[in-house]
Amino acid sequence: MDVSVKGEYALRAVFELCSRGASEPVKIADIAARQGIPQKFLELILSQLKQGGFLNSRRGASGGYSLAKAPEDITVGDVIRHIEGPLATARLSDDHPRPSDSPFNDLWREVDAAVSGVIDHTTFADLLARWKEERTRQAVSWQI
C-alpha cells in the first residue's frame, strides 16, 4: 500500500489535533510548524478533512481547526480512504497484469485484507496511546 505525501500529512494533521486534546481550535500555522507541513498544502488538506466530517473550523482571530469526532471514532483507514480514495490492492502494475490462475492470488488477497484490518481497526486514540507509551519508555530517568 502506498500512501502519498498528502495522505501522510493528513494523518499527521489529525494526529496533531488529537494530541492537543483541546476543544479549542488550533491555528493552521501551529499545526504546520509542529508537523513540518507546508502551510498552503496543509490548508487544502484540512479543508478536505473538514468536508469529510473529520474536522470543524472556526474563522477569526481565535479560529482554527478542531476535531469533529472523538479520536476513538476516527480510524487511520477512514482518513486514508477519504484523502487517497480506494486503497490500491497488492498487484502488479497495469502494464503487467497478473494471470487469473496465478498461485499468488490468494496470498495477495490475504495481504490486502491484513492491511485493511490494521488500518481499519487502528484509531487515532490507539495511535496516541502508543505514542505516549513509547515516549514514556524512551524518557531517561536521572534518579539514582
Side-chain angles (χ1 to χ4, degrees):
M1 177 179 95
D2 290 327
V3 177
S4 68
V5 171
K6 183 179 181 182
E8 174 73 20
Y9 286 170
L11 292 171
R12 288 168 46 187
V14 172
F15 184 82
E16 177 66 26
L17 291 171
C18 290
S19 69
R20 297 276 181 121
S23 58
E24 290 300 311
V26 179
K27 295 188 182 317
I28 294 173
D30 292 343
I31 299 168
R34 286 188 46 114
Q35 291 297 320
I37 301 171
Q39 188 169 331
K40 288 291 184 187
F41 193 28
L42 181 59
E43 289 173 10
L44 298 171
I45 293 167
L46 294 175
S47 176
Q48 192 173 352
L49 289 168
K50 179 184 174 189
Q51 290 172 349
F54 299 100
L55 305 180
N56 293 318
S57 66
R58 185 186 326 162
R59 293 179 183 261
S62 62
Y65 283 87
S66 61
L67 294 175
K69 302 177 182 181
E72 53 272 4
D73 295 331
I74 306 171
T75 69
V76 171
D78 292 338
V79 172
I80 290 175
R81 284 188 186 87
H82 180 73
I83 297 295
E84 304 279 350
L87 297 179
T89 57
R91 62 178 171 82
L92 294 174
S93 70
D94 292 335
D95 296 338
H96 299 90
R98 181 172 291 115
S100 60
D101 65 342
S102 171
F104 300 101
N105 287 340
D106 287 340
L107 171 70
W108 297 130
R109 276 191 286 278
E110 289 177 33
V111 168
D112 292 338
V115 168
S116 290
V118 170
I119 65 172
D120 290 339
H121 291 95
T122 302
T123 67
F124 279 85
D126 297 332
L127 289 174
L128 188 58
R130 287 183 208 161
W131 182 71
K132 286 180 178 179
E133 182 180 314
E134 183 63 27
R135 288 185 56 156
T136 301
R137 273 188 283 168
Q138 291 176 357
V140 177
S141 173
W142 297 102
Q143 292 180 328
I144 299 179

